[in-house]
Amino acid sequence: MISAAIVGGTGYTGIELIRLLSAHTEVSIDLLTSRSEAGTRADEIFPSLRGVSDLVFSDLDDKTLSTLQQCDVVFFATPHGVAMRQAEALTQAGVKVIDLAADFRLQSLSDFEHWYQQPHTCPDLLKTAVYGLPELNRDKLANASVVGNPGCYPTTAILGLKPIIELQNQQAIRLIEPRIVIDAKSGVSGAGRQASLALNYAETTDNFKAYGVTGHRHLPEIEQGIAQLLNSQFTHRVRFLPHLIPMIRGMFSSIHMELTEAGKDIDWQKEFEASYLSEAFVDVMPSGIYPDTRSVRASNRLRIAVHQDNERAELTALVVQDNLVKGAAGQAVQNMNIMFGLNETLGLNFAPIVP
Amino acid sequence: MISAAIVGGTGYTGIELIRLLSAHTEVSIDLLTSRSEAGTRADEIFPSLRGVSDLVFSDLDDKTLSTLQQCDVVFFATPHGVAMRQAEALTQAGVKVIDLAADFRLQSLSDFEHWYQQPHTCPDLLKTAVYGLPELNRDKLANASVVGNPGCYPTTAILGLKPIIELQNQQAIRLIEPRIVIDAKSGVSGAGRQASLALNYAETTDNFKAYGVTGHRHLPEIEQGIAQLLNSQFTHRVRFLPHLIPMIRGMFSSIHMELTEAGKDIDWQKEFEASYLSEAFVDVMPSGIYPDTRSVRASNRLRIAVHQDNERAELTALVVQDNLVKGAAGQAVQNMNIMFGLNETLGLNFAPIVP
Amino acid sequence: MISAAIVGGTGYTGIELIRLLSAHTEVSIDLLTSRSEAGTRADEIFPSLRGVSDLVFSDLDDKTLSTLQQCDVVFFATPHGVAMRQAEALTQAGVKVIDLAADFRLQSLSDFEHWYQQPHTCPDLLKTAVYGLPELNRDKLANASVVGNPGCYPTTAILGLKPIIELQNQQAIRLIEPRIVIDAKSGVSGAGRQASLALNYAETTDNFKAYGVTGHRHLPEIEQGIAQLLNSQFTHRVRFLPHLIPMIRGMFSSIHMELTEAGKDIDWQKEFEASYLSEAFVDVMPSGIYPDTRSVRASNRLRIAVHQDNERAELTALVVQDNLVKGAAGQAVQNMNIMFGLNETLGLNFAPIVP
Amino acid sequence: MISAAIVGGTGYTGIELIRLLSAHTEVSIDLLTSRSEAGTRADEIFPSLRGVSDLVFSDLDDKTLSTLQQCDVVFFATPHGVAMRQAEALTQAGVKVIDLAADFRLQSLSDFEHWYQQPHTCPDLLKTAVYGLPELNRDKLANASVVGNPGCYPTTAILGLKPIIELQNQQAIRLIEPRIVIDAKSGVSGAGRQASLALNYAETTDNFKAYGVTGHRHLPEIEQGIAQLLNSQFTHRVRFLPHLIPMIRGMFSSIHMELTEAGKDIDWQKEFEASYLSEAFVDVMPSGIYPDTRSVRASNRLRIAVHQDNERAELTALVVQDNLVKGAAGQAVQNMNIMFGLNETLGLNFAPIVP
């Protein structure tokens, strides 16, 4: 059994990790920490865990830190800036680290420091960290000791663009125009488990709005995905605008692109299907069928539909996922499976919840 | 024009008062106060008021207090315990006071102090205060200087029981058995405008629960309504259990009663219709038609359906209202209309919002 | 492997059965039928099943009927009146039948015919049918050939009353007064997967109402549960009133009882805990903790909280479940496990989905 | 008093018209028609109208048609294709016609027939019809006898683009690049009041999806708005993609544009504010403040926020409205006010409902 710890288990990604790992046949959660809830049983805070887990939150003190070093893997479901303070000691002790926050997502120090407004405490380790998007980094992940689990929006954006950028590289000609508009929408759980007037039910329900209009931290991550991860030979200008949907889970990204003449010659449905043929968790919808967020609710699947209109030179990719699963905890478990040589789908192969 | 002030205008009852009074042809809101938002325009906090009101929140300082004394009426949309500290000075200055909190609801000092955990600062004034339920206290309200605006649940409970208790008194015989079960449900706005994890969208949506299981502050108010307001000759034991509905506005009270043999001889549909024949804001639904909360959304109407089953000795009253209007701000305006000799429906005669 | 068939798989209980049985290690779904969708893949109607199931709906023709007879168990997720037409042929062929509709719930023919407005086509088989509430009928279920899966409301009502009625029988004295008020609330999925104006999103959302005010088909089933299933020595008069909650899944039953003097001497928390000590799917909440519906979302758990107030002679049981799982498909699988001698929790031991 | 009739009053725009016109001081609704509900009181179908309106639905028979001809104005809240069959007789009788469907929106016959799949029955009348967008056609509306009330999406799109296209014309140079992406989202009430599985609560709630991906009828209307209504000197290619938000009312359009070098020299906040300075129902939000749909709920206001990022050459306009008010019934009343020389805001100057 893999001995796992979850640091910061009181948020929505935390409880989702507990839910997934509790059902994972090859993992035991041996440690669960929380500053605010030290000494409390997890199922007191989350009654849904009654009968599922009898774990008790530990404080993140020295004793806990040394216990962490005896685990095989530590998941950080903490705010930005926590994992990077522990990662070095853990990796030196041979413990694998998966950070669900942003500490190891951006390769560029200046980008990290600009967008997260803090210095990075382990730049050397950052160089060795792997961006945890299995569909692109599977091989690197197999030997990774530190993994930066992708942001929820970038997961949809990068996987929605992958077949296009890759084919563009391969053909060495622009297939879409430089400007890409990503109009994205997320359920409220993405804002985290916190007391906040803006997240109050009566403020959020029967309401819809944009946020991060002037710039969102996931934009540089998407740009990095296109430039480095997908090694785009061509530059693209991305407009990324997130919105808040009055629903708990689910993310919907509408990616608007303009086809070049060369791009019109491609059968994009065929290309997308080919690109993800062997992927267990990426589902390309049949031509003419468009996804809704509930079709992936509480599952690790991400679904993509592509719509091509040569007359109007339009290419649209619609991408849905559960922001807490493929967009966070599920992808972290998928990364863990790869890092430990397990079947990538282990503990993740369950059906979405509909209705 | 009636010069009105609203103390504590940043909550949901506050903004509802601003909405209603801004459209009231006989009232001008001359002062709006808030400790937390002093100096801020109301429409900065509530963009829905852009173009409706250009009021700015004042702090509740001495200057404001003296300005308050020049108003005709002051509405307190504040937490419990605020109005009673200002009421004496205001009434002495000839200002009428309408408290939307609980300071002047309970006539019994010991009940108030037991349920609200604080001493009452003006017990003498409390003796003169009128319970602001127009359908029962219209005459007293006409000359009231201090009005305790009813709680939302008690409004539904007392109006749902009025025809029964009154007829029981009149016939001087029990028509229903002593035990009354009031299973009540409220939308989330009833919990107020506050940052709270329990009220976070992702905690509240697609979820339903009871609260106040061990006792709710509205119970003594309901009991007072039966005993004093309705002068019941017979004692009744009320079980009051509130629940939280995942919706913004609306309250639904299911009142379960058991008919005595004498009670079976009554045509309760007829009695309810007769009891509320002349009431503008109480609608008795036709026999066999049952109300839903949206049928009163954003309006001052309260609807009642009564179901009688002599075979099973069951009498059920179903009562709906908008907790923020008839259950709070609308009833306060209705009280104000009466206190100032205006047409009781002035500024309140608008249709519910459906869908 | 157990060979299972699902008749009528296009409703919400149907897709829930597909979801549960697809993950069940001892079952293979060998046949799925639907009159309306014959020839269509299940994952075309429910894209959430893409990658989960490649089943195709068959029409319920003679060929299918003969195939059914080669299965080990047939689940009927059909309207009332369908299962009873097939059950005799199936049981004669040695196939076990689990009906999720009402054909085999009520033992009394006259009750069935009064409430479901149709004659029963196999009264003899009805005599041998077992009411599929494992916590009460485990032994009978082990040898049952036809099981009537309980209604969702009766499941909460009967399990919420079980410890009380049983102790009352044991002590041979009334512990609660004869009248029981069950004020129940259900999510909209309970109304089924159908085109209906009343179920239109804009009609249902941000709205709350009662239904079945004059009588609901689950009432006789609850009364049967008390009288026959729990063999109550004392008669009880049940007022059952269901309401519709604007949420997808979940059921909340508030059971209001009045304690007798003898009933006040009981420690009901202790009694409830003892009564369900060995039950995997019934969770008695700790004293003072009250359940919400999301704490069982998409799981087979049912949670009960009991509140005792001797001063007011009140006993309240609050019961929550997922109406589609413990209230329907999950309980059906639990029954199947018992009928085939499997571990009762097999395929059902997953955590609720929160948030 | 203006004598008004509403043809087809059983839909959501119909009840909204009844709500608005019932409160309008210069209008009396003298006739209400419905094929399906002839003979029924409106408040039987919409209990929210109890005490508001005692109108009874008439069938659309010859008698009704002749009565229609005695009204001053007839509102058609009917499916596409109904108004054009009655309009000629009505206008000949001197009755003004306001169609809330699409019969008089598109000036191009071929566009109408392509997108609505039916021949137009009164092409000559169509030539004289005025597109009912007051902010652009106020003068023409003053003398119009037939008005095509705009679609909800086009209202947001055209008003969101107006200041840009107009300035571009004025300066005779491209300020934005040809390609415009309009990513729009609507509440479910926009789909109308109908029994539909796709609109079933359990299918729509906690879910988000795109629709009309391959082309939506509002696209040609938006293109017409840019080309004819705004007389754009420059061609623009519009990608219009609508989505369904799990909420009842409200529409949010995110308009993504790319600035040219000339466009970067413009202070767009200033231009938008100047453009709508005198408009009662168009509110340009202060710089840096972004709108949410609830800020216009149940009101006739439309709010726009503009975001300019010269570094990234991005111009974004965010537009919100209530799809049933400014997007339908409210705009129809605004048009009526203009057509009859009344104050444009009469009966429309009420505050949004928040929360």
Side-chain angles (χ1 to χ4, degrees):
Chain A
M1 296 288 280
I2 296 165
S3 168
I6 301 172
V7 176
T10 61
Y12 292 140
T13 52
I15 180 178
E16 195 70 350
L17 273 172
I18 296 172
R19 178 175 78 90
L20 296 176
L21 293 178
S22 298
H24 195 294
T25 54
E26 299 298 315
V27 178
S28 72
I29 309 176
D30 294 333
L31 188 61
L32 190 63
T33 82
S34 161
R35 281 248 150 79
S36 54
E37 301 291 349
T40 313
R41 282 175 60 102
D43 63 6
E44 278 181 48
I45 298 166
F46 301 114
S48 61
L49 295 178
R50 288 175 56 83
V52 175
S53 165
D54 54 8
L55 287 162
V56 177
F57 288 106
S58 313
D59 198 353
L60 197 55
D61 54 19
D62 296 353
K63 188 177 150 307
T64 309
L65 289 175
S66 67
T67 317
L68 278 182
Q69 300 188 7
Q70 291 145 44
C71 294
D72 300 309
V73 59
V74 175
F75 295 87
F76 284 87
T78 43
H80 309 303
V82 175
M84 65 186 180
R85 283 173 175 69
Q86 311 296 341
E88 235 151 1
L90 290 170
T91 49
Q92 275 157 25
V95 184
K96 292 178 183 294
V97 170
I98 301 177
D99 179 29
L100 282 78
D103 299 9
F104 298 100
R105 290 174 185 168
L106 295 176
Q107 295 298 306
S108 153
L109 271 180
S110 58
D111 277 355
F112 176 83
E113 292 174 359
H114 167 69
W115 286 96
Y116 294 91
Q117 294 296 306
Q118 54 186 303
H120 202 290
T121 61
C122 54
D124 296 342
L125 196 57
L126 177 58
K127 291 202 191 72
T128 75
V130 177
Y131 188 76
L133 195 58
E135 291 75 13
L136 276 160
N137 271 345
R138 190 166 279 121
D139 298 345
K140 287 185 184 163
L141 284 163
N143 307 305
S145 58
V146 177
V147 167
N149 211 56
C152 45
Y153 286 118
T155 298
T156 62
I158 297 168
L159 292 178
L161 290 169
K162 174 178 176 291
I164 301 162
I165 304 297
E166 285 181 344
L167 189 67
Q168 196 169 243
N169 284 344
Q170 187 184 310
Q171 299 202 354
I173 179 173
R174 272 196 187 279
L175 301 174
I176 57 170
E177 297 293 346
R179 186 150 167 279
I180 299 171
V181 173
I182 303 176
D183 192 285
K185 303 91 180 171
S186 172
V188 178
S189 60
R193 182 170 173 271
Q194 52 172 310
S196 153
L197 178 56
L199 298 179
N200 183 300
Y201 179 91
E203 301 287 310
T204 315
T205 308
D206 203 43
N207 194 19
F208 188 87
K209 64 181 176 187
Y211 65 102
V213 179
T214 60
H216 187 286
R217 290 165 163 182
H218 286 178
L219 173 57
E221 192 178 336
I222 294 168
E223 292 175 323
Q224 167 183 284
I226 296 172
Q228 282 90 59
L229 206 56
L230 293 167
N231 305 303
S232 178
Q233 294 169 26
F234 302 91
T235 58
H236 286 284
R237 298 191 307 284
V238 175
R239 169 52 167 162
F240 170 67
L241 182 63
H243 303 72
L244 197 65
I245 311 172
M247 64 185 198
I248 297 176
R249 289 167 177 253
M251 175 164 284
F252 192 106
S253 291
S254 308
I255 307 179
H256 301 276
M257 296 157 286
E258 186 168 13
L259 289 166
T260 62
E261 283 311 309
K264 294 178 185 176
D265 297 337
I266 309 297
D267 176 341
W268 287 107
Q269 177 72 31
K270 212 167 109 290
E271 289 301 328
F272 271 71
E273 289 175 3
S275 179
Y276 290 116
L277 196 59
S278 61
E279 289 298 340
F281 295 120
V282 180
D283 172 30
V284 177
M285 307 289 285
S287 177
I289 307 298
Y290 304 105
D292 55 5
T293 57
R294 70 176 192 148
S295 72
V296 294
R297 186 188 294 138
S299 91
N300 198 52
R301 281 195 173 68
L302 174 145
R303 303 192 200 275
I304 305 179
V306 59
H307 172 68
Q308 176 173 9
D309 181 341
N310 282 351
E311 202 178 302
R312 303 184 66 92
E314 294 169 352
L315 186 64
T316 311
L318 305 175
V319 188
V320 298
Q321 73 178 2
D322 185 317
N323 54 300
L324 295 180
V325 190
K326 183 60 175 171
Q331 185 141 262
V333 172
Q334 187 179 355
N335 285 325
M336 179 203 71
N337 285 340
I338 297 169
M339 294 161 81
F340 287 86
L342 303 172
N343 176 337
E344 190 171 324
T345 67
L346 208 61
L348 294 172
N349 229 341
F350 38 83
I353 304 299
V354 170
Chain B
M1 295 289 278
I2 297 165
S3 170
I6 301 172
V7 176
T10 60
Y12 291 139
T13 52
I15 182 179
E16 195 70 350
L17 272 172
I18 297 172
R19 179 176 77 90
L20 296 175
L21 294 177
S22 299
H24 195 294
T25 53
E26 299 298 315
V27 177
S28 73
I29 309 176
D30 293 333
L31 188 61
L32 191 62
T33 82
S34 162
R35 282 249 150 79
S36 55
E37 299 292 350
T40 313
R41 280 177 60 102
D43 63 6
E44 278 180 48
I45 298 166
F46 302 113
S48 61
L49 295 178
R50 288 174 56 83
V52 174
S53 165
D54 54 8
L55 287 164
V56 176
F57 288 107
S58 313
D59 198 353
L60 197 56
D61 54 19
D62 297 352
K63 186 177 152 305
T64 309
L65 290 176
S66 67
T67 318
L68 279 182
Q69 301 187 7
Q70 291 144 44
C71 294
D72 299 312
V73 59
V74 176
F75 294 87
F76 284 87
T78 43
H80 309 304
V82 175
M84 65 185 180
R85 283 173 176 67
Q86 310 297 340
E88 233 150 4
L90 289 171
T91 48
Q92 275 157 24
V95 183
K96 291 178 183 294
V97 170
I98 301 176
D99 178 29
L100 282 78
D103 300 8
F104 298 101
R105 290 175 186 166
L106 295 177
Q107 295 298 305
S108 153
L109 272 180
S110 57
D111 276 355
F112 176 82
E113 293 175 358
H114 167 69
W115 286 96
Y116 293 91
Q117 293 297 305
Q118 53 187 303
H120 202 291
T121 60
C122 52
D124 297 342
L125 196 57
L126 178 58
K127 289 201 192 73
T128 74
V130 177
Y131 188 74
L133 196 56
E135 291 76 10
L136 276 161
N137 271 344
R138 192 166 279 119
D139 300 344
K140 286 185 185 163
L141 285 163
N143 307 306
S145 57
V146 177
V147 167
N149 211 55
C152 46
Y153 286 119
T155 298
T156 61
I158 298 168
L159 292 178
L161 290 169
K162 172 176 177 292
I164 301 161
I165 303 296
E166 284 180 344
L167 188 68
Q168 196 169 244
N169 283 344
Q170 187 186 312
Q171 299 201 353
I173 179 173
R174 272 196 188 280
L175 302 173
I176 57 170
E177 297 293 347
R179 187 148 167 279
I180 298 171
V181 172
I182 302 176
D183 192 285
K185 304 91 180 173
S186 172
V188 178
S189 61
R193 183 170 172 270
Q194 53 172 311
S196 153
L197 178 56
L199 299 179
N200 183 300
Y201 178 91
E203 300 286 310
T204 315
T205 309
D206 202 44
N207 193 19
F208 187 87
K209 64 179 176 187
Y211 65 101
V213 180
T214 60
H216 187 286
R217 291 165 162 181
H218 284 180
L219 173 57
E221 193 178 335
I222 294 168
E223 292 175 322
Q224 167 183 283
I226 296 172
Q228 283 89 60
L229 207 55
L230 292 167
N231 304 304
S232 178
Q233 294 169 25
F234 303 91
T235 57
H236 285 284
R237 297 192 307 281
V238 175
R239 168 52 166 162
F240 170 66
L241 182 63
H243 304 72
L244 198 64
I245 311 171
M247 65 185 197
I248 298 176
R249 288 167 175 252
M251 174 164 285
F252 192 107
S253 291
S254 307
I255 307 179
H256 302 274
M257 295 157 286
E258 185 167 14
L259 289 166
T260 62
E261 283 311 310
K264 294 179 185 174
D265 296 337
I266 310 295
D267 177 340
W268 287 108
Q269 178 71 32
K270 210 166 112 289
E271 289 301 327
F272 271 72
E273 289 175 2
S275 178
Y276 290 117
L277 196 59
S278 60
E279 289 298 340
F281 295 120
V282 180
D283 173 30
V284 177
M285 307 288 285
S287 178
I289 307 299
Y290 304 106
D292 55 5
T293 57
R294 70 176 192 147
S295 73
V296 294
R297 186 189 294 137
S299 91
N300 198 52
R301 281 197 173 66
L302 173 146
R303 303 193 200 274
I304 305 178
V306 59
H307 173 68
Q308 177 173 9
D309 182 341
N310 282 351
E311 203 177 301
R312 302 184 67 92
E314 293 170 352
L315 184 64
T316 311
L318 305 175
V319 188
V320 298
Q321 72 177 4
D322 185 317
N323 54 300
L324 294 180
V325 190
K326 182 59 175 172
Q331 185 140 263
V333 173
Q334 187 179 353
N335 285 325
M336 180 203 72
N337 286 340
I338 297 169
M339 294 162 80
F340 286 87
L342 303 173
N343 177 335
E344 190 170 324
T345 67
L346 209 60
L348 294 171
N349 228 342
F350 39 81
I353 304 298
V354 171
Chain C
M1 295 288 279
I2 297 165
S3 169
I6 302 173
V7 176
T10 61
Y12 291 139
T13 51
I15 182 179
E16 195 71 349
L17 273 172
I18 297 172
R19 179 176 77 90
L20 296 175
L21 294 178
S22 299
H24 196 294
T25 54
E26 299 297 315
V27 177
S28 74
I29 309 176
D30 293 333
L31 189 61
L32 191 63
T33 83
S34 161
R35 281 249 150 79
S36 55
E37 301 291 351
T40 313
R41 282 176 59 102
D43 64 6
E44 278 181 48
I45 298 166
F46 301 113
S48 60
L49 295 177
R50 287 175 56 83
V52 175
S53 165
D54 55 8
L55 287 163
V56 176
F57 288 107
S58 313
D59 198 354
L60 196 56
D61 54 19
D62 297 352
K63 188 176 149 308
T64 308
L65 290 176
S66 66
T67 318
L68 279 182
Q69 301 187 9
Q70 291 145 44
C71 295
D72 300 311
V73 59
V74 176
F75 294 88
F76 285 87
T78 44
H80 309 303
V82 174
M84 65 186 181
R85 284 172 175 68
Q86 310 296 341
E88 234 150 2
L90 290 170
T91 49
Q92 275 156 25
V95 183
K96 292 180 183 293
V97 170
I98 301 176
D99 179 29
L100 282 77
D103 300 8
F104 298 100
R105 290 175 186 166
L106 296 177
Q107 294 299 306
S108 153
L109 272 180
S110 58
D111 277 356
F112 176 83
E113 292 174 359
H114 167 70
W115 286 96
Y116 293 92
Q117 292 296 304
Q118 53 187 303
H120 202 291
T121 61
C122 53
D124 296 343
L125 196 57
L126 178 58
K127 290 201 191 72
T128 73
V130 177
Y131 188 74
L133 196 57
E135 291 76 11
L136 276 160
N137 271 344
R138 192 165 280 120
D139 299 345
K140 287 184 184 162
L141 284 163
N143 307 307
S145 58
V146 177
V147 167
N149 212 55
C152 45
Y153 287 118
T155 298
T156 60
I158 298 168
L159 292 179
L161 290 169
K162 174 177 176 291
I164 301 162
I165 304 297
E166 285 181 344
L167 189 66
Q168 197 169 242
N169 283 344
Q170 187 185 310
Q171 299 201 353
I173 179 172
R174 272 194 188 280
L175 302 174
I176 57 171
E177 297 293 345
R179 186 151 167 277
I180 299 171
V181 173
I182 303 177
D183 192 284
K185 303 91 181 172
S186 172
V188 178
S189 60
R193 182 170 172 272
Q194 53 173 310
S196 153
L197 178 56
L199 298 179
N200 183 299
Y201 178 91
E203 301 287 310
T204 315
T205 309
D206 202 44
N207 194 20
F208 188 87
K209 64 180 175 187
Y211 66 102
V213 179
T214 60
H216 187 286
R217 290 166 162 181
H218 285 179
L219 173 57
E221 193 178 334
I222 294 168
E223 292 176 322
Q224 166 183 284
I226 296 172
Q228 282 89 60
L229 207 56
L230 292 167
N231 304 305
S232 178
Q233 294 170 26
F234 303 92
T235 58
H236 285 284
R237 297 191 307 282
V238 175
R239 169 52 166 161
F240 169 66
L241 182 63
H243 303 72
L244 197 64
I245 310 172
M247 65 184 198
I248 298 176
R249 289 167 176 253
M251 174 163 286
F252 192 106
S253 290
S254 307
I255 307 178
H256 302 275
M257 296 157 286
E258 186 167 10
L259 289 166
T260 61
E261 283 311 311
K264 294 179 186 175
D265 297 338
I266 310 295
D267 176 341
W268 288 106
Q269 178 71 31
K270 210 167 112 288
E271 288 301 328
F272 271 72
E273 289 176 3
S275 178
Y276 290 116
L277 195 58
S278 61
E279 289 298 339
F281 295 121
V282 180
D283 173 29
V284 177
M285 307 289 285
S287 178
I289 307 299
Y290 304 106
D292 55 5
T293 58
R294 71 176 190 148
S295 72
V296 294
R297 186 188 293 138
S299 91
N300 198 52
R301 280 195 174 66
L302 173 146
R303 303 193 200 276
I304 305 178
V306 60
H307 172 67
Q308 176 172 9
D309 181 340
N310 282 351
E311 202 178 302
R312 302 185 67 92
E314 294 170 352
L315 184 65
T316 312
L318 305 175
V319 188
V320 298
Q321 72 177 4
D322 185 317
N323 54 300
L324 295 180
V325 190
K326 182 59 174 172
Q331 186 141 262
V333 172
Q334 187 179 353
N335 285 324
M336 180 203 71
N337 286 340
I338 297 170
M339 293 161 80
F340 287 86
L342 303 172
N343 176 337
E344 190 171 324
T345 67
L346 209 60
L348 294 171
N349 229 342
F350 38 81
I353 304 298
V354 170
Chain D
M1 295 288 281
I2 297 165
S3 169
I6 301 172
V7 176
T10 61
Y12 292 139
T13 52
I15 181 179
E16 195 71 350
L17 273 172
I18 297 171
R19 178 175 77 90
L20 295 176
L21 294 178
S22 298
H24 195 295
T25 54
E26 300 297 315
V27 177
S28 72
I29 309 176
D30 294 333
L31 188 61
L32 190 64
T33 82
S34 161
R35 281 250 149 79
S36 55
E37 299 292 350
T40 313
R41 282 176 59 103
D43 63 7
E44 277 180 48
I45 297 166
F46 302 113
S48 61
L49 295 177
R50 288 175 56 83
V52 174
S53 164
D54 54 9
L55 287 163
V56 176
F57 288 107
S58 313
D59 198 353
L60 197 57
D61 54 19
D62 297 353
K63 187 176 151 305
T64 308
L65 290 176
S66 67
T67 317
L68 279 182
Q69 300 188 8
Q70 291 144 44
C71 295
D72 299 310
V73 59
V74 175
F75 294 88
F76 284 88
T78 44
H80 309 304
V82 175
M84 65 186 181
R85 283 172 175 70
Q86 311 296 341
E88 235 150 0
L90 290 170
T91 48
Q92 276 156 24
V95 183
K96 292 178 183 293
V97 169
I98 301 176
D99 179 28
L100 282 77
D103 299 8
F104 298 101
R105 290 176 186 166
L106 296 177
Q107 295 298 306
S108 154
L109 272 180
S110 57
D111 277 356
F112 176 83
E113 292 173 359
H114 167 69
W115 287 95
Y116 293 92
Q117 294 297 304
Q118 53 187 306
H120 202 290
T121 61
C122 52
D124 298 341
L125 197 57
L126 177 58
K127 291 202 191 70
T128 74
V130 177
Y131 188 75
L133 195 56
E135 291 76 11
L136 276 161
N137 270 345
R138 193 166 278 120
D139 299 345
K140 286 184 184 162
L141 285 163
N143 308 305
S145 58
V146 177
V147 167
N149 211 56
C152 46
Y153 287 118
T155 298
T156 60
I158 297 169
L159 292 179
L161 290 168
K162 173 176 176 291
I164 301 161
I165 304 296
E166 284 180 345
L167 188 66
Q168 197 170 242
N169 283 344
Q170 188 185 309
Q171 299 202 353
I173 179 173
R174 273 197 187 279
L175 302 173
I176 58 171
E177 297 293 347
R179 185 148 167 280
I180 298 170
V181 173
I182 302 177
D183 192 285
K185 304 92 180 172
S186 172
V188 178
S189 61
R193 182 170 172 270
Q194 54 173 308
S196 153
L197 178 56
L199 299 179
N200 184 299
Y201 178 91
E203 300 288 310
T204 315
T205 309
D206 203 43
N207 193 19
F208 188 87
K209 65 180 173 187
Y211 65 102
V213 180
T214 61
H216 188 284
R217 291 165 163 183
H218 285 179
L219 173 57
E221 193 179 336
I222 294 168
E223 292 175 323
Q224 167 183 282
I226 296 172
Q228 282 88 59
L229 206 56
L230 292 167
N231 304 303
S232 178
Q233 294 169 25
F234 302 92
T235 58
H236 286 283
R237 297 191 307 282
V238 175
R239 167 53 165 163
F240 170 66
L241 182 63
H243 303 72
L244 198 63
I245 311 171
M247 65 185 198
I248 297 176
R249 289 168 175 251
M251 174 164 286
F252 192 107
S253 290
S254 308
I255 307 178
H256 302 275
M257 296 157 286
E258 185 168 14
L259 289 166
T260 61
E261 283 311 310
K264 294 179 186 175
D265 297 338
I266 310 295
D267 177 340
W268 287 107
Q269 178 71 32
K270 211 167 111 291
E271 289 301 327
F272 271 71
E273 289 176 2
S275 179
Y276 290 115
L277 195 58
S278 61
E279 290 297 341
F281 295 120
V282 180
D283 173 30
V284 177
M285 307 289 285
S287 178
I289 308 298
Y290 304 106
D292 55 5
T293 58
R294 70 176 192 149
S295 73
V296 294
R297 185 188 293 139
S299 91
N300 198 52
R301 282 196 173 65
L302 174 146
R303 303 192 200 275
I304 305 178
V306 59
H307 173 68
Q308 176 172 9
D309 181 341
N310 282 352
E311 201 177 303
R312 303 184 68 92
E314 293 170 353
L315 185 64
T316 311
L318 305 175
V319 188
V320 298
Q321 72 177 3
D322 185 316
N323 54 301
L324 295 180
V325 190
K326 182 60 175 172
Q331 185 140 264
V333 172
Q334 187 180 354
N335 284 324
M336 181 203 71
N337 285 340
I338 296 169
M339 294 162 80
F340 286 87
L342 303 173
N343 176 335
E344 191 170 325
T345 67
L346 209 59
L348 294 171
N349 228 343
F350 39 81
I353 305 299
V354 169

